[in-house]
Amino acid sequence: GLGGAPRIVWSAIRRIDWRAWAREWLPVIVIFAFGLAIRVWDVGDYMLYLIDELHWTDGVLHLEWTPFRPLITPMSGQSPYTWIYSYWQAGAVQIFDHNLFALRLPSAIVGALNLLAVYGLARAIGDRRLALLSMIVVAVLPSHVQFSRIALNQIADALFGTLGLMFIARGLRDNQRADWAAGGVGIGMTQYFYEGGRLLFPPLAAVWLIVMIIVTRGRLRRQWGGIVIAALAAIVIALPVYAGIIGQDKPLFGRFDDMGNSEGLRSRLADGLQIEDIEQHFSHTLTTVWAYIAHRDLAVYYGGDEPLVVGWLVPLFLFGVFYTLWRIPAPLLIIPLWIAATSGGVSLLRDTLFSARYAVVLPALGIAVAVGLRYWLPLIIPEAPRARLSARFTRGVVYSAAGVIVVTCVVYYFAVHIPILNAQTRYQKGYHDGLEAAHRIVTVPGGTQPYLIGSPEHDQNVPRNFVGYLALQNGENPGRYLPLLSVALDVITPRFLAELPRDINYVFFVEASANETLLMIYDSFPEAHAPTYTPYNHIPADRAYVMVFAPSQFGVSMEQSQ
């Protein structure tokens, strides 16, 4: 409606130049399909560990238990965003069952759609070659691939933020009312997911437009009407979110309230603004730049040993940022603004080296690398030799370099990054991998009491809730397992085991090195099955539990139950 309801001319379809259409869109379709494939491939099994994804398994279960839950209300205090992303995940779970593949599939699809938005944005602020290179780089950028393969809603911020900026860029270029309206819708949709997108994209779009108006010295007067339309569309789309928050008397920015560095800022400013305060905050802000180019993730969302822009792409990235600044007042200015705004926002948080904070800027990082790739060759070849080179040769070198980037990034992600990440997630805490045990618990008969036994004692809530999610596979009754219990090694004694009722099954997950505990279990349960070990090769052997299944006195075996 705000776009003016442009008339659809169906007869124009017959006049389409299909050859020109194929030249424009077939490469886009191929890159999109490739990007989707590497995001979907093995997405359910490559990591059986939950990377802060329990909120989303719980969200799916809540929607299944209460299907008329209001979607545009905050999920919880720890997750103060709407239920929309969980609703998408619940739909995937209905189709593909209660497993990690279904839970993560919406992220893979949203991440792949982000490639189309990146193409559109780069096409609007640059040319077709830059758009294709941007799409290629983001398709294989390991940090973007990772956030497209875990069940977190940050990747939706990147999608709708990129879409909003893409249509605004088209509005600046063509001044079409429909583009301005769609840009406002995209910015408004960033309010429905993670709080990073809510706080970043509206002010980023506003600052970009203000700077463009200033640096173009009034040449955007014809666009004023479109800017108003975009702002109105963003407000209309975003209003339901804030109505839900205010209606439930929740804080507007709950995650920022929890993770922000407001106390530190207040203490610095208690005696007035001093030069030391400025230096300290500058140093804190500088660590956000490290996250882009020099420092690994400390929170193991992205993980690995590389920064968000892997080391061999850093020179291209730095040149791309320089080039976009050099081209002011071109619309390419949005890229350094996007990166700087993210750094400024993250600098207000306590922890600046947690990769989840940067999911909103990953498309900009990829486009900056593509800018470096697109424009580095004409600058480094001397003028006279370049005049003798054909444009085809120059393009060939650039696209060959893009092919090298594709191969190296894909090989690095699947052959190097994922094994490192699998180890990091399991060594970051003292206890063994209880989530891997959860996958094995749901293979034993119903009426079984699971125990995690180790030192230190495993947190029981996360694996217990995860069992509740997995236990719904194949339409099974989720209550067929007794609540998982976690105990320390020294709790397991002959007396403790002797006092356990014998009318139910037990499955004990014991640290592999706890031989005395295993012997006590077999002394108390002589009918217990032989110990079994993790079937997953990518899990470090010293972080997996040994499983011992002890059937009840009625002799129900695992084979009979299956």
Side-chain angles (χ1 to χ4, degrees), residues 110-111 114 117-118 144 153-165 190 193 197 201 338 358-364:
V110 170
N114 199 186
V118 164
H144 194 279
N153 64 349
Q154 282 96 326
I155 197 67
D157 287 341
L159 170 61
F160 288 103
T162 308
L163 281 172
L165 296 175
T190 61
F193 303 100
F201 286 108
W338 193 344
Y358 298 93
V360 291
V361 77
L362 296 178

Side-chain angles (χ1 to χ4, degrees), residues 456-529:
E457 181 182 340
H458 200 297
D459 163 44
Q460 70 184 20
N461 292 325
V462 174
R464 175 187 288 183
N465 289 3
F466 191 43
V467 168
Y469 170 78
L470 296 175
L472 284 162
Q473 293 179 13
N474 302 316
E476 293 281 358
N477 173 18
R480 69 184 189 275
Y481 300 112
L482 299 175
L484 180 147
L485 298 175
S486 177
V487 297
L489 273 175
D490 56 7
V491 172
I492 303 299
T493 62
R495 180 176 179 179
F496 176 90
L497 295 170
E499 292 177 350
L500 292 176
R502 292 303 196 264
D503 58 347
I504 60 173
N505 304 318
Y506 292 94
V507 60
F508 301 100
F509 289 88
V510 187
E511 289 185 8
S513 60
N515 293 324
E516 292 184 5
T517 302
L518 286 169
L519 290 174
M520 281 191 286
I521 290 173
Y522 279 105
D523 285 341
S524 296
F525 294 89
E527 71 282 6
H529 295 191

Side-chain angles (χ1 to χ4, degrees), residues 68-222:
F68 298 102
R69 178 180 295 277
L71 293 182
I72 308 179
T73 54
M75 291 178 66
S76 68
Q78 288 185 312
S79 307
Y81 15 82
T82 69
W83 293 85
I84 299 297
Y85 207 74
S86 289
Y87 184 67
W88 296 350
Q89 292 172 319
V93 167
Q94 287 295 311
I95 298 171
F96 296 105
D97 213 346
H98 293 74
N99 50 53
L100 287 178
F101 172 82
L103 190 72
R104 292 168 174 165
L105 181 62
S107 293
I109 294 172
V110 170
L113 291 174
N114 199 186
L115 304 181
L116 300 178
V118 164
Y119 176 85
L121 175 59
R123 191 80 163 89
I125 63 178
D127 57 16
R128 181 171 179 269
R129 195 181 308 174
L130 175 62
L132 287 174
L133 291 172
S134 298
M135 196 176 180
I136 290 169
V137 172
V138 177
V140 298
L141 188 67
S143 51
H144 194 279
V145 174
Q146 173 65 13
F147 278 96
S148 302
R149 288 169 60 87
I150 54 178
L152 302 181
N153 64 349
Q154 282 96 326
I155 197 67
D157 287 341
L159 170 61
F160 288 103
T162 308
L163 281 172
L165 296 175
M166 177 196 83
F167 283 112
I168 290 173
R170 287 166 56 96
L172 289 170
R173 185 189 66 188
D174 304 327
N175 199 28
Q176 294 294 316
R177 182 175 169 179
D179 286 330
W180 287 112
V185 169
I187 298 299
M189 284 299 297
T190 61
Q191 306 303 289
Y192 285 78
F193 303 100
Y194 193 70
E195 205 164 279
R198 287 175 54 198
L199 290 167
L200 174 71
F201 286 108
L204 172 61
V207 169
W208 181 34
L209 290 172
I210 291 170
V211 171
M212 289 298 295
I213 290 169
I214 293 172
V215 297
T216 56
R217 299 177 182 177
R219 291 198 299 271
L220 297 179
R221 289 175 188 160
R222 294 187 304 121

Side-chain angles (χ1 to χ4, degrees), residues 341-355:
T342 303
S343 290
V346 175
S347 72
L348 300 176
L349 305 177
R350 293 189 300 272
D351 304 305
T352 58
L353 293 173
F354 288 9
S355 61

